[in-house]
Amino acid sequence: MTAATYQYVDLPDASVVTTRALLTARENIADTVAARAMMCIHGGAGFGKTLAVNTCLRELEPSEDVRRVTFRARPTARAVRYELFTALDLAGEPPRHPSEFDRLLKTALAERPRTFLVDEAQWLNGEAFEYFRYLWDEPATRFAVVFVGGEGCHTVLRREPMLSSRIFIWQHFTRLTPSEVLDVIPLFHPIWAHADPDDIAFADQHAAHGNFRAWAQLTAHARTALARNGRPRVDQELLRWAFSRLA
């Protein structure tokens, strides 16, 4: 998988690396989908949550009907209804009355099994999470939900016992450890494949800090420097130039 997969950075030749977190997510998501349950994947920004989940869900398609929903502000239950209406590709105009809207969504969600990826779930408040629970609790509906978000997502869910008790699996994404960096980064992009491990460790210590998004940004700058200078491989002088762009 290449460049566009890495959010916010156009990075040709980048690969999705099978980290321990991704392997765990693959198992957790498969089990959640099979159970038609709800799970929560949470962690800091740039730790690879969305990338891992999208990779795992793509492996389940097309046999699994996956619908993706992303929230960019704190949505009300009304906003969640409209997002689901759009995600389900329902025909006609959205109903004006909440009870009618709820019946429509319940009917649609009972038609066949589906999985929802709810990204940026840290923006959801108790009301929005509760609406997903309300639909999921309906005996006729058949869908799984993968909530993906920052630590705020975990905090809100844990604060509400009725919601928390329905989360089938929790998975916490963390930074790559220094040893993981040395294993993973040479596989991530060709410019690191033959780099000195000390230089990779230097880059992680001073700039990337085990954060996959930071590694993608650093790799883009280092790749530019290599092309401009005609150097055969990354070194600490080149890395310091790349660091200056990240400061």
Side-chain angles (χ1 to χ4, degrees):
M1 203 168 296
T2 58
T5 306
Y6 283 90
Q7 295 176 307
Y8 315 114
V9 177
D10 182 13
L11 190 56
D13 302 319
S15 298
V16 174
V17 185
T18 306
T19 62
R20 286 187 299 171
L22 190 146
L23 285 172
T24 301
R26 181 178 290 152
E27 290 184 353
N28 289 342
I29 290 170
D31 291 345
T32 298
V33 170
R36 294 298 152 196
M38 296 191 287
M39 72 172 290
C40 175
I41 290 182
H42 61 101
F47 289 179
K49 303 179 299 296
T50 298
L51 173 65
V53 172
N54 274 316
T55 299
C56 297
L57 287 175
R58 264 189 224 105
E59 293 172 357
L60 299 178
E61 296 172 308
S63 58
E64 179 65 26
D65 183 359
V66 178
R67 304 297 173 116
R68 291 167 171 82
V69 181
T70 301
F71 296 101
R72 299 295 182 187
R74 298 197 178 280
T76 61
R78 180 175 182 272
V80 174
R81 289 186 183 95
Y82 278 90
E83 289 293 336
L84 291 176
F85 182 90
T86 301
L88 290 167
D89 297 320
L90 297 179
E93 294 295 320
R96 298 179 64 179
H97 300 290
S99 59
E100 183 183 354
F101 213 149
D102 293 345
R103 283 195 298 272
L104 176 66
L105 291 175
K106 288 178 181 180
T107 299
L109 292 170
E111 290 174 351
R112 62 180 181 275
R114 291 184 176 90
T115 293
F116 286 95
L117 164 58
V118 181
D119 202 5
E120 302 294 345
Q122 71 272 8
W123 289 110
L124 273 64
N125 55 22
E127 178 188 7
F129 278 122
E130 172 63 23
Y131 190 71
F132 278 102
R133 184 205 64 79
Y134 165 73
L135 294 175
W136 184 81
D137 274 353
E138 174 66 31
T141 59
R142 297 181 294 162
F143 67 96
V145 185
V146 181
F147 294 112
V148 182
E151 301 298 6
C153 167
H154 174 267
T155 300
V156 174
L157 280 170
R158 282 297 194 190
R159 192 185 298 139
E160 303 288 341
M162 287 185 64
L163 298 171
S164 180
S165 65
R166 286 165 171 78
I167 298 299
F168 187 55
I169 295 175
W170 302 85
Q171 183 177 349
H172 187 207
F173 267 62
T174 59
R175 298 178 187 276
L176 296 172
T177 66
S179 61
E180 286 178 310
V181 166
L182 294 178
D183 289 338
V184 165
I185 297 306
L187 303 174
F188 168 55
H189 195 277
I191 72 166
W192 306 110
H194 303 292
D196 188 316
D198 288 343
D199 291 337
I200 294 175
F202 176 79
D204 192 59
Q205 179 182 359
H206 291 276
H209 309 297
N211 184 301
F212 243 124
R213 187 176 301 160
W215 267 108
Q217 293 170 337
L218 177 61
T219 301
H221 293 307
R223 182 174 174 273
T224 297
L226 286 171
R228 288 179 181 172
N229 298 330
R231 296 190 183 189
R233 57 189 290 180
V234 171
D235 57 35
Q236 291 192 15
E237 181 183 357
L238 182 145
L239 287 171
R240 287 190 180 92
W241 177 86
F243 297 165
S244 71
R245 289 188 150 195
L246 299 171

